[in-house]
Amino acid sequence: VSSPSADDRRAWGGVAAAWDRHRERLFETTRAVSERLVDVVDPGPGDVVLELGAGPGETGFLAAERVGTQGRLISTDAMPEMVEAARRGAESRGIANVEFRVLDAAAVDLADASVDAVISRFAVMLTPEPARVVREALRVLRPGRRFAYGVWGAMDQNPWMTALGMAMLTTGHLPPGPGPFDPGGVFSLADPAANRALMEAAGFIDVRVEEISGEMHYDTFDDYFTLQSEVSGPVAIAIDSLTDADLAAVRDAAQEQLEPHRVGDGYRTPWTAVVTSAAST
Ligand SMILES: C[S@@+](CC[C@H](N)C(=O)[O-])C[C@H]1O[C@@H](n2cnc3c(N)ncnc32)[C@H](O)[C@@H]1O
């Protein structure tokens, strides 16, 4: 199986510039997930931390602060454009203890038992064979250290995403790639029990699964649509190719979907993520 697929490469490589542009907002809105991931793997001075599917890199940068100049973050993503975005982020902040690599989370080019922590935020569910990712994390971890990853929770708890997804569906513009619940789909690991099973099947111990929730804030519908239509991987690619009339129809449908969450001119929409962590033996 080639991973990531050509569709994924186009989708996620294509939105890297937007993730770079919106990096602060994308990070801060769900910062609680990043903090939890770093807290549970608990990196200390001198540790080596591997981040998978790092995108613009912000979650790993939290860990880089903790490992100090003797330690190292290995910030990775399968898309070279995302790795470049992460590199720019670190350079602009003067974060020096980071190594950047283009790397498929399902085929980690690192030696066995060579890192002290593995983290990943909102990427594992996008890989077509998450079992491979989890096995790779276990292989590269030193004994007794932890892997922690965050994925999106249930669809009905993430209307900020389903509003746009449903708008694409009802207007007949299905994005490329897997469906939302298929392997590699955005809600493919939304069930906490599925994450526990995934980690236990790989041989991890002390598996902990928790849900973390928060709220997304958008000042106006334009604010919502601009952000989400630019960063949402496959959906962003599909939106890019719409005619003006089709785009107007998608916008109307998304606005209708979001209506229950309107507060004045803006919107407040809940989000829920599932954070899973476990220890190597
Ligand atoms: C939704 S973004 C999340 C980015 C970042 N971790 C964050 O939380 O802001 C998903 C990321 O996973 C990456 N990705 C997709 N498939 C991957 C794979 N097979 N291996 C590694 N990264 C992958 C994408 O390029 C993208 O950067």
Side-chain angles (χ1 to χ4, degrees), residues 124 130-138 147 149 198-199 202 204:
V124 174
R132 279 176 61 189
V133 176
V134 173
R135 283 200 300 272
E136 282 292 79
L138 182 61
F147 172 36
Y149 67 88
L198 191 63
M199 291 287 237
F204 273 104

Side-chain angles (χ1 to χ4, degrees), residues 13-70:
V15 298
W19 277 75
D20 200 358
R21 210 162 46 245
H22 298 293
R23 71 166 58 236
E24 191 176 337
R25 186 172 183 185
L26 293 169
F27 175 62
E28 291 298 338
T29 309
T30 48
R31 184 187 182 104
V33 174
S34 300
E35 287 181 345
R36 190 72 192 129
L37 293 174
V38 175
D39 280 347
V40 294
V41 299
D42 196 24
D47 279 353
V48 177
V49 177
L50 170 66
E51 181 173 20
L52 301 170
E58 297 291 329
T59 299
F61 298 159
L62 284 182
E65 278 173 31
R66 299 215 199 171
V67 300
T69 52
Q70 301 301 307

Side-chain angles (χ1 to χ4, degrees), residues 176-262:
F181 305 104
D182 294 337
V186 76
F187 295 121
S188 58
L189 291 175
D191 176 9
N195 292 285
R196 173 174 296 280
L198 191 63
M199 291 287 237
E200 287 178 347
F204 273 104
I205 60 166
D206 189 20
V207 181
R208 300 178 211 161
V209 188
E210 63 187 304
E211 286 180 314
I212 298 182
S213 297
E215 217 175 42
M216 311 263 187
H217 295 180
Y218 305 97
D219 291 341
T220 59
F221 179 72
D222 267 344
D223 180 35
Y224 168 80
F225 196 82
T226 303
L227 178 71
Q228 295 307 334
S229 68
E230 287 183 8
V231 302
S232 305
V235 174
I237 297 303
I239 285 179
D240 245 5
S241 62
L242 295 180
T243 63
D244 287 352
D246 286 343
L247 180 62
V250 169
R251 287 178 59 107
D252 286 349
Q255 193 159 9
E256 203 174 303
Q257 292 280 336
L258 273 187
E259 185 56 22
H261 307 286
R262 191 164 60 78

Side-chain angles (χ1 to χ4, degrees), residues 3-5 8-9 11-13 15-16 19 23 26-27 30 34 37 51-59 76-80 82-83 103-107 120-128 133 150 152 186 231 233:
S3 166
S5 68
D8 282 343
R9 285 194 185 282
W12 292 105
V15 298
W19 277 75
R23 71 166 58 236
L26 293 169
F27 175 62
T30 48
S34 300
L37 293 174
E51 181 173 20
L52 301 170
E58 297 291 329
T59 299
T76 71
D77 197 282
M79 316 305 161
M82 284 291 190
V83 175
L103 186 148
D104 173 9
S120 184
R121 192 183 88 152
F122 304 136
V124 174
M125 74 287 184
L126 300 176
T127 64
V133 176
W152 290 116
V186 76
V231 302

Side-chain angles (χ1 to χ4, degrees), residues 58-122:
E58 297 291 329
T59 299
F61 298 159
L62 284 182
E65 278 173 31
R66 299 215 199 171
V67 300
T69 52
Q70 301 301 307
R72 185 164 46 110
L73 166 69
I74 308 176
S75 177
T76 71
D77 197 282
M79 316 305 161
E81 300 90 337
M82 284 291 190
V83 175
E84 282 316 303
R87 194 193 302 275
R88 279 193 294 276
E91 274 172 11
S92 72
R93 242 100 39 86
I95 303 169
N97 57 345
V98 194
E99 179 189 324
F100 296 94
R101 289 202 192 190
V102 177
L103 186 148
D104 173 9
V108 176
D109 182 18
L110 291 174
D112 296 358
S114 59
V115 309
D116 301 291
V118 182
I119 53 176
S120 184
R121 192 183 88 152
F122 304 136

